[in-house]
């Protein structure tokens, strides 16, 4: 009886530690899933920011004017453009 119990215990330990789908591979897979989820969360946040920016550009002229001023150096008539060189 004792020998049977020892053999069952050895079989269970083999399955837990060495067989495919063992404890170590499950932990490694969980770590990869967590890293992937972190990357997905960052990308989802970036998508939300870009969606908000697109919506602002579609509805408001202030955002378009800010972009034109900062990226293209455009000015309104009557304004004076001054560039500060560091």
């Amino acid at each position: 009886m004792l020998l049977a119990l020892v053999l069952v215990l050895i079989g269970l330990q083999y399955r837990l530690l060495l067989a495919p789908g063992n404890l170590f591979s499950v932990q490694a897979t969980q770590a990869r899933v967590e890293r992937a989820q972190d990357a997905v969360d960052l990308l989802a946040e970036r998508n939300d920011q870009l969606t908000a920016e697109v919506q602002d550009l579609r509805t408001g002229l202030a955002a378009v004017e800010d972009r034109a001023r900062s990226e293209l150096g455009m000015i309104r008539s009557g304004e004076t453009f001054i560039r500060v060189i560091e």
Side-chain angles (χ1 to χ4, degrees):
M1 183 71 138
L2 183 60
L3 181 62
L5 289 175
V6 168
L7 289 176
V8 169
L9 180 63
I10 290 172
L12 290 174
Q13 289 298 317
Y14 170 78
R15 171 73 176 108
L16 181 66
L17 299 175
L18 301 173
N22 63 34
L23 184 63
F24 303 115
S25 68
V26 169
Q27 289 174 346
T29 302
Q30 286 176 342
R32 282 197 322 263
V33 167
E34 287 176 8
R35 286 193 305 269
Q37 186 61 46
D38 290 342
V40 167
D41 291 342
L42 287 173
L43 291 173
E45 183 179 329
R46 179 164 161 65
N47 277 350
D48 291 341
Q49 291 172 351
L50 290 173
T51 301
E53 185 176 347
V54 166
Q55 188 65 25
D56 190 32
L57 287 171
R58 285 183 179 168
T59 59
L61 294 178
V64 174
E65 183 179 342
D66 287 343
R67 277 257 167 119
R69 287 174 176 273
S70 64
E71 294 178 8
L72 303 175
M74 298 181 86
I75 59 174
R76 286 186 177 172
S77 59
E79 292 181 337
T80 304
F81 179 73
I82 300 173
R83 178 180 291 187
V84 177
I85 301 174
E86 297 178 9

